[in-house]
Amino acid sequence: MKLVRVFLSALVLWVFCLAPPCFADDTEEYNAEGTRIWKMLPRASEMIRHPSPKGWEVYNVKKQPKTISTPEVPGGKALRLKVKKAGANPWDKGANGKTQLATQKGDVLLGAFWARAAKLPEGTTETRLPFHIQQMGDPYAQFKSNEAIVTSSWNQYFIYAALPKTFKKGGVGLAIHLSTAAHTIDLGPVYLMNMGPGTIDASAMPVSTVSEKLQTETQPVSASASQPATYKMLPHFQKDLDNLQAKLPRKGTLINDPSVTVAQVFGDNENHTLVDDAGVTGGKALEVTVKETGLNSWSTGVNWPSMRAVKKGDAVVLAFWAKGISAKNEAQTPIISPVRVQQSGDPYEEAASSAAYLSRDWKIYYTSGVSNHDIAPGGSGVSFHMGLTKQTLRLGPAYLINLGQGLDARNLPRNKVTYNGQEANAPWRAKAKANIEKYRKGNLTVKVTDASGNPVANANVTVEMVKHKFHFGSFVGHEFVKKGGEKNTQYHKSFNESFNMATLPLYWQDWGWNGANSFEGNYRETVQYAHKQGIAWRGHPIIWPGENYMPSRITKNKGKAKKQREQVLRHTREVMNFVKDYEPIAIDVSNEPRSNQYFKENGNPDLVADVFKAAHEIAPDIPLFINDYAILNNGGVNQKAIDFYHDWIRTMRWQDVPLGGIGFQGHFSAGLTNPKRIMEILEDFGQYGLPLHITEFDIETLDEGSQAAYTRDILQAAFASPALEAFIVWGWWEGDHWKPNAAMLREDWSEKPNYKAWQETIKREWWTRETGITNQLGQMSLRGFKGDYKVTVNGRTVFGTLDDAGLIEVKF
């Protein structure tokens, strides 16, 4: 009783003294209802908003909603909202109940509200309203989502979520989306209760009420069953789900509402509408038209909220219905790439990712994986990225199932990874073969003479390549040379067997070149070691001009353009003055210019150009590269990204920037680009007469067969492109790889199929080994791959180099 009295006195104080504005509703009834809810909760809580329905913040309505009298709800008042027709999005019209006190990270927030339908959609007995605990400003992150099944009777609906961060008053609250149908909705009092931090037992929480009739028409689910306790599965979705779960290693738990009505379209270059389609479960589809290609895959897309947490180690499977209508790309194929199960806000960590190339018929597509992250309840969801191409497609229901711990991701369902151009007789292969013969090989003559200079005939000659002229390399991380100089013997042995160059880190973040927890010493030792061992190397990168990728010593001076300029140029000179003495073959001066334009946006529009000029002044013989992504991957259809890169390069050249090379990242998953298209893009950028490098290649997939096949094919396409001088993988050993599934060697150093494809292509198919006998002129001629050679004649060995043409003399 003492706790109740404390709660009631606090409640009265809240109602009369703290809450602006002060409402004249029946405080006694609000107190009674607040006490009832308070007693239902598993621990003491604090009410953090005034419950009066007059406090609902309604948006996108032409007329101020009426307040009506209704004795059936506490306080006797409700807000009446008329929606004349369904909107393009459920959230086009809505009502928000915001907190009026601050909340802290980890607090558990409960929302409770009363609702009924004063007018139902024609011919129905219910209407449905998505509601969420969410952030009340951009990006409107949803921390828990549910759906209110609203009838003509008053019902009470509950939702709760643990908050992933601290919010000021009004920064978080309960949001109800009203534009799901033509209806009139009455909203009664709304309560927000802060239960403080700590784990909540779901079985101890209150659940939403529904009418007796509704309970007989749906399938009520207990907290221990395969759906969330407050979600009522419709029969047609349940049948779909049963069929899906029967194919899984275990049944798992559905953690989202599969109905397409809860999907949320984002982006500026799109049109979308909810359409009737008898070909898909539920008979409703979300049709989306992407009107313009975006700069990024996520320029246009669809988010689908989840309702439960995903823990590190949980296996998740997404199964969704989709259908392609039309697309304006090379393959005329609608593309969703990637499809991600991910956090709903920054840093958008993912639990699973794939791509879907859509058929013209309805099909189920899969995305699956094991999460490497804890994702808060309501803080996860599905994001369909559609911005890569102009297209029209339809989405049907989507089922996100958490299978829990202890499953191998390789045993989960997924789309088979395929790509255009993988056929053995694909036309690009003949061109690639001809180009390799023309551009990557030369004529080598071995000439054998005696001490007097006379030709030696019939001498036995062995010619063996020892190193390619072309750079086949890998990024090496902090395990290559640990701080203090310690080296991993197996790591180095494997590197030397696999690559002839390395990309070395020069990152400038706080953990980078000279941050508080710096790897600077490690960076320096790695550069020195590579130079001492004669390893060709390139550095990556001097600057990365995005606010999230910059050291705090620079970002803390935001608004001080002159100061930031001095800091950036000082850093550039410091790094270049060090690396110039260790003979790098190239340096990435700036990274990802399309999506990282911090300086341009903060008073230094010419700073990146000036960084190139400052670096060139110090080391005029070192090629200075730019590096960007989304050019080669995802089908090579991101024309806006390609056009941006051309424009950036031309602008730099017009400004006399000493650009020395062009880099292309190549991070792939299921969106594997036709090798023919790879060759076309590289040929297009060859117009500038600059060296080209594929700087960051990997394929993150569990389909190891396709991973190996594409590794072989993209190598062929790249090696056949005459302007390309380097092909660099972004790590190869699973024990030191940013995406372990993309590695070529497992953590125990055993070989994956993609490693065998790499070695067989480079060390067998493109490796010259020949034996022969000299002719009467003392010569043996052959055509070989350009590079360094060892020639042995009658036990005597010499070394030489083959470029377009070469002569290696052996004298006795």
Side-chain angles (χ1 to χ4, degrees), residues 562-584:
K562 184 177 179 180
K563 175 67 174 176
Q564 289 186 327
R565 176 184 173 81
E566 293 170 353
Q567 289 178 301
V568 171
L569 292 177
R570 186 186 311 122
H571 169 80
T572 301
R573 295 184 182 105
E574 178 184 328
V575 177
M576 286 302 297
N577 274 312
F578 172 74
V579 301
K580 67 181 177 64
D581 295 327
Y582 296 97
E583 302 178 316

PDB file of all heavy atoms in Angstrom, residues 562-584:
ATOM      1  N   LYS A 562      39.204  26.871 -41.246  1.00  0.00           N
ATOM      2  CA  LYS A 562      40.634  27.144 -41.372  1.00  0.00           C
ATOM      3  C   LYS A 562      41.454  26.202 -40.507  1.00  0.00           C
ATOM      4  O   LYS A 562      42.480  25.663 -40.943  1.00  0.00           O
ATOM      5  CB  LYS A 562      40.920  28.597 -40.997  1.00  0.00           C
ATOM      6  CG  LYS A 562      42.374  29.007 -41.190  1.00  0.00           C
ATOM      7  CD  LYS A 562      42.587  30.481 -40.867  1.00  0.00           C
ATOM      8  CE  LYS A 562      44.057  30.869 -41.054  1.00  0.00           C
ATOM      9  NZ  LYS A 562      44.278  32.306 -40.734  1.00  0.00           N
ATOM     10  N   LYS A 563      41.014  25.984 -39.280  1.00  0.00           N
ATOM     11  CA  LYS A 563      41.725  25.098 -38.369  1.00  0.00           C
ATOM     12  C   LYS A 563      41.730  23.674 -38.916  1.00  0.00           C
ATOM     13  O   LYS A 563      42.765  22.992 -38.897  1.00  0.00           O
ATOM     14  CB  LYS A 563      41.040  25.139 -37.001  1.00  0.00           C
ATOM     15  CG  LYS A 563      41.616  24.169 -35.972  1.00  0.00           C
ATOM     16  CD  LYS A 563      43.018  24.533 -35.557  1.00  0.00           C
ATOM     17  CE  LYS A 563      43.500  23.647 -34.423  1.00  0.00           C
ATOM     18  NZ  LYS A 563      44.907  23.926 -34.053  1.00  0.00           N
ATOM     19  N   GLN A 564      40.584  23.213 -39.403  1.00  0.00           N
ATOM     20  CA  GLN A 564      40.515  21.858 -39.952  1.00  0.00           C
ATOM     21  C   GLN A 564      41.415  21.704 -41.172  1.00  0.00           C
ATOM     22  O   GLN A 564      42.076  20.679 -41.338  1.00  0.00           O
ATOM     23  CB  GLN A 564      39.080  21.499 -40.298  1.00  0.00           C
ATOM     24  CG  GLN A 564      38.192  21.267 -39.084  1.00  0.00           C
ATOM     25  CD  GLN A 564      36.815  20.784 -39.457  1.00  0.00           C
ATOM     26  OE1 GLN A 564      36.274  21.161 -40.507  1.00  0.00           O
ATOM     27  NE2 GLN A 564      36.212  19.969 -38.615  1.00  0.00           N
ATOM     28  N   ARG A 565      41.446  22.725 -41.994  1.00  0.00           N
ATOM     29  CA  ARG A 565      42.316  22.678 -43.179  1.00  0.00           C
ATOM     30  C   ARG A 565      43.779  22.508 -42.765  1.00  0.00           C
ATOM     31  O   ARG A 565      44.505  21.682 -43.327  1.00  0.00           O
ATOM     32  CB  ARG A 565      42.131  23.951 -43.988  1.00  0.00           C
ATOM     33  CG  ARG A 565      43.052  24.068 -45.184  1.00  0.00           C
ATOM     34  CD  ARG A 565      42.863  25.420 -45.895  1.00  0.00           C
ATOM     35  NE  ARG A 565      43.857  25.585 -46.939  1.00  0.00           N
ATOM     36  CZ  ARG A 565      43.765  25.059 -48.145  1.00  0.00           C
ATOM     37  NH1 ARG A 565      42.715  24.325 -48.458  1.00  0.00           N
ATOM     38  NH2 ARG A 565      44.709  25.251 -49.038  1.00  0.00           N
ATOM     39  N   GLU A 566      44.211  23.273 -41.781  1.00  0.00           N
ATOM     40  CA  GLU A 566      45.592  23.163 -41.301  1.00  0.00           C
ATOM     41  C   GLU A 566      45.876  21.764 -40.768  1.00  0.00           C
ATOM     42  O   GLU A 566      46.937  21.180 -41.033  1.00  0.00           O
ATOM     43  CB  GLU A 566      45.846  24.207 -40.207  1.00  0.00           C
ATOM     44  CG  GLU A 566      45.821  25.643 -40.709  1.00  0.00           C
ATOM     45  CD  GLU A 566      45.845  26.650 -39.563  1.00  0.00           C
ATOM     46  OE1 GLU A 566      45.744  26.203 -38.390  1.00  0.00           O
ATOM     47  OE2 GLU A 566      45.949  27.860 -39.833  1.00  0.00           O
ATOM     48  N   GLN A 567      44.919  21.196 -40.011  1.00  0.00           N
ATOM     49  CA  GLN A 567      45.110  19.860 -39.442  1.00  0.00           C
ATOM     50  C   GLN A 567      45.237  18.795 -40.530  1.00  0.00           C
ATOM     51  O   GLN A 567      46.094  17.906 -40.458  1.00  0.00           O
ATOM     52  CB  GLN A 567      43.932  19.509 -38.531  1.00  0.00           C
ATOM     53  CG  GLN A 567      43.890  20.292 -37.221  1.00  0.00           C
ATOM     54  CD  GLN A 567      42.667  19.909 -36.405  1.00  0.00           C
ATOM     55  OE1 GLN A 567      41.532  20.060 -36.865  1.00  0.00           O
ATOM     56  NE2 GLN A 567      42.885  19.414 -35.200  1.00  0.00           N
ATOM     57  N   VAL A 568      44.372  18.868 -41.535  1.00  0.00           N
ATOM     58  CA  VAL A 568      44.361  17.847 -42.585  1.00  0.00           C
ATOM     59  C   VAL A 568      45.644  17.917 -43.414  1.00  0.00           C
ATOM     60  O   VAL A 568      46.253  16.883 -43.722  1.00  0.00           O
ATOM     61  CB  VAL A 568      43.113  18.010 -43.474  1.00  0.00           C
ATOM     62  CG1 VAL A 568      43.189  17.100 -44.687  1.00  0.00           C
ATOM     63  CG2 VAL A 568      41.851  17.722 -42.672  1.00  0.00           C
ATOM     64  N   LEU A 569      46.068  19.101 -43.769  1.00  0.00           N
ATOM     65  CA  LEU A 569      47.292  19.226 -44.573  1.00  0.00           C
ATOM     66  C   LEU A 569      48.522  18.835 -43.760  1.00  0.00           C
ATOM     67  O   LEU A 569      49.463  18.224 -44.297  1.00  0.00           O
ATOM     68  CB  LEU A 569      47.425  20.650 -45.102  1.00  0.00           C
ATOM     69  CG  LEU A 569      46.376  21.042 -46.154  1.00  0.00           C
ATOM     70  CD1 LEU A 569      46.535  22.495 -46.567  1.00  0.00           C
ATOM     71  CD2 LEU A 569      46.471  20.140 -47.390  1.00  0.00           C
ATOM     72  N   ARG A 570      48.515  19.119 -42.467  1.00  0.00           N
ATOM     73  CA  ARG A 570      49.627  18.698 -41.605  1.00  0.00           C
ATOM     74  C   ARG A 570      49.700  17.170 -41.551  1.00  0.00           C
ATOM     75  O   ARG A 570      50.779  16.577 -41.639  1.00  0.00           O
ATOM     76  CB  ARG A 570      49.458  19.270 -40.202  1.00  0.00           C
ATOM     77  CG  ARG A 570      50.659  18.993 -39.280  1.00  0.00           C
ATOM     78  CD  ARG A 570      50.412  19.448 -37.853  1.00  0.00           C
ATOM     79  NE  ARG A 570      49.896  20.810 -37.829  1.00  0.00           N
ATOM     80  CZ  ARG A 570      48.725  21.151 -37.269  1.00  0.00           C
ATOM     81  NH1 ARG A 570      47.960  20.233 -36.714  1.00  0.00           N
ATOM     82  NH2 ARG A 570      48.331  22.410 -37.281  1.00  0.00           N
ATOM     83  N   HIS A 571      48.545  16.541 -41.394  1.00  0.00           N
ATOM     84  CA  HIS A 571      48.501  15.073 -41.375  1.00  0.00           C
ATOM     85  C   HIS A 571      48.998  14.500 -42.706  1.00  0.00           C
ATOM     86  O   HIS A 571      49.779  13.530 -42.718  1.00  0.00           O
ATOM     87  CB  HIS A 571      47.062  14.612 -41.108  1.00  0.00           C
ATOM     88  CG  HIS A 571      46.853  13.148 -41.316  1.00  0.00           C
ATOM     89  ND1 HIS A 571      47.210  12.200 -40.379  1.00  0.00           N
ATOM     90  CD2 HIS A 571      46.337  12.450 -42.377  1.00  0.00           C
ATOM     91  CE1 HIS A 571      46.921  10.995 -40.842  1.00  0.00           C
ATOM     92  NE2 HIS A 571      46.385  11.118 -42.047  1.00  0.00           N
ATOM     93  N   THR A 572      48.580  15.086 -43.807  1.00  0.00           N
ATOM     94  CA  THR A 572      49.002  14.610 -45.131  1.00  0.00           C
ATOM     95  C   THR A 572      50.515  14.660 -45.266  1.00  0.00           C
ATOM     96  O   THR A 572      51.158  13.692 -45.719  1.00  0.00           O
ATOM     97  CB  THR A 572      48.346  15.464 -46.225  1.00  0.00           C
ATOM     98  OG1 THR A 572      46.923  15.378 -46.096  1.00  0.00           O
ATOM     99  CG2 THR A 572      48.773  15.007 -47.603  1.00  0.00           C
ATOM    100  N   ARG A 573      51.098  15.775 -44.880  1.00  0.00           N
ATOM    101  CA  ARG A 573      52.553  15.932 -45.005  1.00  0.00           C
ATOM    102  C   ARG A 573      53.293  14.963 -44.090  1.00  0.00           C
ATOM    103  O   ARG A 573      54.325  14.401 -44.468  1.00  0.00           O
ATOM    104  CB  ARG A 573      52.945  17.381 -44.705  1.00  0.00           C
ATOM    105  CG  ARG A 573      52.388  18.378 -45.728  1.00  0.00           C
ATOM    106  CD  ARG A 573      52.877  19.795 -45.465  1.00  0.00           C
ATOM    107  NE  ARG A 573      52.300  20.733 -46.414  1.00  0.00           N
ATOM    108  CZ  ARG A 573      51.319  21.591 -46.128  1.00  0.00           C
ATOM    109  NH1 ARG A 573      50.809  21.639 -44.887  1.00  0.00           N
ATOM    110  NH2 ARG A 573      50.840  22.403 -47.051  1.00  0.00           N
ATOM    111  N   GLU A 574      52.758  14.753 -42.910  1.00  0.00           N
ATOM    112  CA  GLU A 574      53.402  13.834 -41.968  1.00  0.00           C
ATOM    113  C   GLU A 574      53.449  12.416 -42.534  1.00  0.00           C
ATOM    114  O   GLU A 574      54.496  11.753 -42.503  1.00  0.00           O
ATOM    115  CB  GLU A 574      52.635  13.848 -40.641  1.00  0.00           C
ATOM    116  CG  GLU A 574      53.189  12.886 -39.603  1.00  0.00           C
ATOM    117  CD  GLU A 574      52.344  12.855 -38.342  1.00  0.00           C
ATOM    118  OE1 GLU A 574      51.755  13.899 -37.977  1.00  0.00           O
ATOM    119  OE2 GLU A 574      52.259  11.777 -37.732  1.00  0.00           O
ATOM    120  N   VAL A 575      52.327  11.942 -43.044  1.00  0.00           N
ATOM    121  CA  VAL A 575      52.279  10.580 -43.580  1.00  0.00           C
ATOM    122  C   VAL A 575      53.148  10.460 -44.831  1.00  0.00           C
ATOM    123  O   VAL A 575      53.924   9.506 -44.975  1.00  0.00           O
ATOM    124  CB  VAL A 575      50.825  10.170 -43.883  1.00  0.00           C
ATOM    125  CG1 VAL A 575      50.784   8.782 -44.510  1.00  0.00           C
ATOM    126  CG2 VAL A 575      49.981  10.194 -42.618  1.00  0.00           C
ATOM    127  N   MET A 576      53.036  11.412 -45.748  1.00  0.00           N
ATOM    128  CA  MET A 576      53.791  11.325 -46.998  1.00  0.00           C
ATOM    129  C   MET A 576      55.293  11.424 -46.753  1.00  0.00           C
ATOM    130  O   MET A 576      56.077  10.741 -47.430  1.00  0.00           O
ATOM    131  CB  MET A 576      53.339  12.401 -47.967  1.00  0.00           C
ATOM    132  CG  MET A 576      51.984  12.141 -48.590  1.00  0.00           C
ATOM    133  SD  MET A 576      51.852  10.575 -49.498  1.00  0.00           S
ATOM    134  CE  MET A 576      53.049  10.817 -50.812  1.00  0.00           C
ATOM    135  N   ASN A 577      55.716  12.240 -45.809  1.00  0.00           N
ATOM    136  CA  ASN A 577      57.142  12.349 -45.506  1.00  0.00           C
ATOM    137  C   ASN A 577      57.697  11.043 -44.960  1.00  0.00           C
ATOM    138  O   ASN A 577      58.894  10.753 -45.127  1.00  0.00           O
ATOM    139  CB  ASN A 577      57.395  13.487 -44.511  1.00  0.00           C
ATOM    140  CG  ASN A 577      57.552  14.823 -45.204  1.00  0.00           C
ATOM    141  OD1 ASN A 577      58.300  14.944 -46.183  1.00  0.00           O
ATOM    142  ND2 ASN A 577      56.840  15.839 -44.733  1.00  0.00           N
ATOM    143  N   PHE A 578      56.833  10.247 -44.316  1.00  0.00           N
ATOM    144  CA  PHE A 578      57.286   8.943 -43.845  1.00  0.00           C
ATOM    145  C   PHE A 578      57.312   7.918 -44.975  1.00  0.00           C
ATOM    146  O   PHE A 578      58.318   7.266 -45.222  1.00  0.00           O
ATOM    147  CB  PHE A 578      56.403   8.445 -42.702  1.00  0.00           C
ATOM    148  CG  PHE A 578      56.703   7.027 -42.312  1.00  0.00           C
ATOM    149  CD1 PHE A 578      57.845   6.719 -41.596  1.00  0.00           C
ATOM    150  CD2 PHE A 578      55.865   5.994 -42.702  1.00  0.00           C
ATOM    151  CE1 PHE A 578      58.153   5.403 -41.262  1.00  0.00           C
ATOM    152  CE2 PHE A 578      56.158   4.674 -42.378  1.00  0.00           C
ATOM    153  CZ  PHE A 578      57.307   4.375 -41.644  1.00  0.00           C
ATOM    154  N   VAL A 579      56.210   7.780 -45.700  1.00  0.00           N
ATOM    155  CA  VAL A 579      56.095   6.663 -46.651  1.00  0.00           C
ATOM    156  C   VAL A 579      56.996   6.835 -47.870  1.00  0.00           C
ATOM    157  O   VAL A 579      57.373   5.849 -48.508  1.00  0.00           O
ATOM    158  CB  VAL A 579      54.629   6.459 -47.101  1.00  0.00           C
ATOM    159  CG1 VAL A 579      53.737   6.176 -45.912  1.00  0.00           C
ATOM    160  CG2 VAL A 579      54.112   7.631 -47.919  1.00  0.00           C
ATOM    161  N   LYS A 580      57.363   8.078 -48.225  1.00  0.00           N
ATOM    162  CA  LYS A 580      58.104   8.307 -49.471  1.00  0.00           C
ATOM    163  C   LYS A 580      59.440   7.582 -49.499  1.00  0.00           C
ATOM    164  O   LYS A 580      59.957   7.257 -50.578  1.00  0.00           O
ATOM    165  CB  LYS A 580      58.322   9.802 -49.693  1.00  0.00           C
ATOM    166  CG  LYS A 580      59.240  10.488 -48.713  1.00  0.00           C
ATOM    167  CD  LYS A 580      59.368  11.977 -49.005  1.00  0.00           C
ATOM    168  CE  LYS A 580      60.221  12.699 -47.978  1.00  0.00           C
ATOM    169  NZ  LYS A 580      61.630  12.241 -47.966  1.00  0.00           N
ATOM    170  N   ASP A 581      60.013   7.303 -48.337  1.00  0.00           N
ATOM    171  CA  ASP A 581      61.321   6.648 -48.288  1.00  0.00           C
ATOM    172  C   ASP A 581      61.212   5.134 -48.419  1.00  0.00           C
ATOM    173  O   ASP A 581      62.233   4.449 -48.460  1.00  0.00           O
ATOM    174  CB  ASP A 581      62.031   6.994 -46.976  1.00  0.00           C
ATOM    175  CG  ASP A 581      62.370   8.476 -46.880  1.00  0.00           C
ATOM    176  OD1 ASP A 581      62.646   9.072 -47.935  1.00  0.00           O
ATOM    177  OD2 ASP A 581      62.336   9.024 -45.766  1.00  0.00           O
ATOM    178  N   TYR A 582      59.981   4.593 -48.493  1.00  0.00           N
ATOM    179  CA  TYR A 582      59.814   3.143 -48.519  1.00  0.00           C
ATOM    180  C   TYR A 582      59.179   2.664 -49.818  1.00  0.00           C
ATOM    181  O   TYR A 582      58.678   1.556 -49.911  1.00  0.00           O
ATOM    182  CB  TYR A 582      59.002   2.684 -47.307  1.00  0.00           C
ATOM    183  CG  TYR A 582      59.740   2.972 -46.015  1.00  0.00           C
ATOM    184  CD1 TYR A 582      59.453   4.127 -45.278  1.00  0.00           C
ATOM    185  CD2 TYR A 582      60.750   2.125 -45.569  1.00  0.00           C
ATOM    186  CE1 TYR A 582      60.146   4.407 -44.119  1.00  0.00           C
ATOM    187  CE2 TYR A 582      61.454   2.399 -44.410  1.00  0.00           C
ATOM    188  CZ  TYR A 582      61.147   3.544 -43.682  1.00  0.00           C
ATOM    189  OH  TYR A 582      61.840   3.830 -42.535  1.00  0.00           O
ATOM    190  N   GLU A 583      59.203   3.500 -50.837  1.00  0.00           N
ATOM    191  CA  GLU A 583      58.921   3.146 -52.233  1.00  0.00           C
ATOM    192  C   GLU A 583      57.585   2.439 -52.454  1.00  0.00           C
ATOM    193  O   GLU A 583      57.548   1.341 -53.022  1.00  0.00           O
ATOM    194  CB  GLU A 583      60.064   2.278 -52.788  1.00  0.00           C
ATOM    195  CG  GLU A 583      61.407   2.948 -52.721  1.00  0.00           C
ATOM    196  CD  GLU A 583      62.543   2.067 -53.226  1.00  0.00           C
ATOM    197  OE1 GLU A 583      62.574   0.870 -52.881  1.00  0.00           O
ATOM    198  OE2 GLU A 583      63.379   2.591 -53.981  1.00  0.00           O
ATOM    199  N   PRO A 584      56.479   3.030 -52.039  1.00  0.00           N
ATOM    200  CA  PRO A 584      55.179   2.429 -52.359  1.00  0.00           C
ATOM    201  C   PRO A 584      54.906   2.506 -53.854  1.00  0.00           C
ATOM    202  O   PRO A 584      55.342   3.432 -54.538  1.00  0.00           O
ATOM    203  CB  PRO A 584      54.190   3.299 -51.581  1.00  0.00           C
ATOM    204  CG  PRO A 584      54.862   4.621 -51.454  1.00  0.00           C
ATOM    205  CD  PRO A 584      56.334   4.307 -51.309  1.00  0.00           C
TER     206      PRO A 584
END
